[in-house]
Amino acid sequence: MKSLITRIVLKTRQFQQWLVAHLVFGLLSVLKLFPADGSIRFADWAMRKIGPLTGRHKLVLENLHRAFPDMDEAEIQRIALASWGHIGRLAAEYVFLDEIFDFDPEKPDSGRVEVEGVERFMELLARDKPFIVFTAHTANFELLPVAAASFGLNVTVLFRPPNNPYIAKKVFRFRRKRMGELVPSHAGSAFALANALEAGRGVGVLVDQKFKRGMTSQYFGQDVRTNPLLAKLARQFGCPVFPARCIRLPNNRFRLVLEEEMPVPMTPAGSVDVPATAQALNDKVEAWVREYPEQWLWYHDRWSRRKR
């Protein structure tokens, strides 16, 4: 009897995930019938209405209050609504990603996307040595691996699949066509990244996700668990580490920034200091978020507060 109930529960959940996935795909297909700018602005408007009605909105506000304890309440509310609009835009931009990414090195100021640090892209392309690029969930972070692929950079990208398996499957197919080699985040992903570095290629990593087994570090002055993988890879291969981010600009435009190499903290013995490096990553992401707070995913439970 117990096994029968378990199967029914699993089948029910599976159907719910299938239904949600097809509703999402249906909505995105409708958006594709209209011009990109109008669809993206509509998605922004719609999520500003829908987001505050969801259970996650409470977490958004709590995260903002803890990150900015001295901020005016009106500004907290403004950022919260803008962050929901940002999520709507991010979803709609998936549909129009091929149209949005129009960067032309010959005409760098003519399209929706501008790139800061083109010379560093060229340097990485010319070198035959491993490197690590890290980013965070800021603006449309999906454009960064698309840009790397457009420059011909051979980068293996670590990504976390969506929880919904039907959405995850379609997103993976979509990403694989545009972003080079992809490695889903799971138990064996560290070996895949290590193999890429050993072969002299680059890897790309998102570093602002919570990691249950991670080391304790600080983010906005509060304890978080941070994945030590990037620091351990840098220690193992002695490769340079570059911060990269996307900034959302007015009128559905974007700036992609590949920053200068980040100094990696070292121990007195001369090896990479893994805890200090994890903290340096958090400090860099925090600086980005403080500059454009509405462009980060505040509904993400980075501080694991729900369990507390």
Side-chain angles (χ1 to χ4, degrees):
M1 182 66 180
K2 187 176 180 180
S3 61
L4 176 61
I5 294 174
T6 301
R7 288 199 299 271
I8 292 173
V9 170
L10 290 175
K11 287 293 184 181
T12 302
R13 185 182 180 191
Q14 187 179 27
F15 173 73
Q16 289 174 338
Q17 291 175 326
W18 178 89
L19 182 61
V20 168
H22 281 77
L23 285 173
V24 171
F25 298 151
L27 288 172
L28 293 179
S29 297
V30 171
L31 287 179
K32 200 170 184 178
L33 298 174
F34 300 93
D37 287 316
S39 294
I40 293 169
R41 281 194 282 266
F42 172 79
D44 181 310
W45 173 85
M47 280 306 299
R48 286 172 185 257
K49 302 295 183 183
I50 297 170
L53 303 178
T54 67
R56 283 277 173 169
H57 189 61
K58 183 179 179 180
L59 180 62
V60 169
L61 294 175
E62 184 180 352
N63 284 341
L64 284 167
H65 278 293
R66 290 181 180 262
F68 303 107
D70 300 323
M71 184 174 285
D72 178 78
E73 181 63 27
E75 182 65 5
I76 291 285
Q77 295 290 338
R78 185 197 70 79
I79 294 173
L81 282 179
S83 72
W84 283 117
H86 156 66
I87 293 168
R89 285 176 176 270
L90 187 61
E93 285 159 1
Y94 252 102
V95 176
F96 301 101
L97 196 59
D98 292 328
E99 179 180 340
I100 288 171
F101 188 80
D102 59 357
F103 179 73
D104 183 353
E106 301 297 325
K107 301 176 183 178
D109 301 320
S110 63
R112 293 178 184 268
V113 177
E114 59 185 62
V115 177
E116 184 178 316
V118 173
E119 67 283 359
R120 281 184 281 279
F121 273 104
M122 296 296 102
E123 290 169 7
L124 292 178
L125 186 60
R127 63 182 283 137
D128 189 24
K129 296 180 180 179
F131 61 88
I132 300 174
V133 177
F134 74 88
T135 190
H137 292 87
T138 59
N140 193 327
F141 52 92
E142 302 281 5
L143 288 172
L144 289 165
V146 174
S150 72
F151 276 97
L153 278 175
N154 192 353
V155 180
T156 299
V157 179
L158 178 69
F159 77 100
R160 182 184 181 279
N163 292 330
N164 187 308
Y166 300 98
I167 294 177
K169 185 176 180 180
K170 190 154 187 172
V171 166
F172 180 76
R173 288 201 304 266
F174 180 87
R175 285 170 165 166
R176 187 170 56 183
K177 290 179 181 178
R178 298 160 177 85
M179 302 179 185
E181 186 175 352
L182 299 173
V183 175
S185 179
H186 52 62
S189 58
F191 295 104
L193 296 183
N195 288 337
L197 292 171
E198 192 170 10
R201 302 195 299 270
V203 301
V205 185
L206 280 159
V207 298
D208 60 339
Q209 296 169 309
K210 68 178 180 181
F211 187 67
K212 295 177 182 178
R213 301 182 303 278
M215 57 181 54
T216 301
S217 57
Q218 294 280 302
Y219 186 57
F220 282 89
Q222 299 165 67
D223 287 347
V224 292
R225 293 284 183 174
T226 300
N227 193 334
L229 176 60
L230 185 151
K232 290 182 177 181
L233 290 173
R235 181 177 63 185
Q236 180 179 352
F237 294 95
C239 53
V241 176
F242 296 89
R245 62 167 167 163
C246 178
I247 301 170
R248 193 180 295 281
L249 303 175
N251 300 318
N252 295 327
R253 299 183 66 253
F254 307 87
R255 180 182 300 126
L256 306 182
V257 184
L258 180 60
E259 299 183 9
E260 295 181 357
E261 179 182 347
M262 186 184 82
V264 177
M266 308 295 287
T267 67
S271 64
V272 172
D273 187 328
V274 173
T277 300
Q279 185 58 56
L281 299 176
N282 286 347
D283 292 343
K284 172 59 74 172
V285 174
E286 181 178 329
W288 291 342
V289 175
R290 286 185 180 276
E291 188 176 2
Y292 299 102
E294 66 281 357
Q295 297 187 21
W296 192 61
L297 302 184
W298 289 99
Y299 76 89
H300 172 50
D301 192 14
R302 182 67 177 95
W303 290 274
S304 300
R305 294 191 181 114
R306 280 191 149 193
K307 292 185 178 179
R308 295 178 192 175

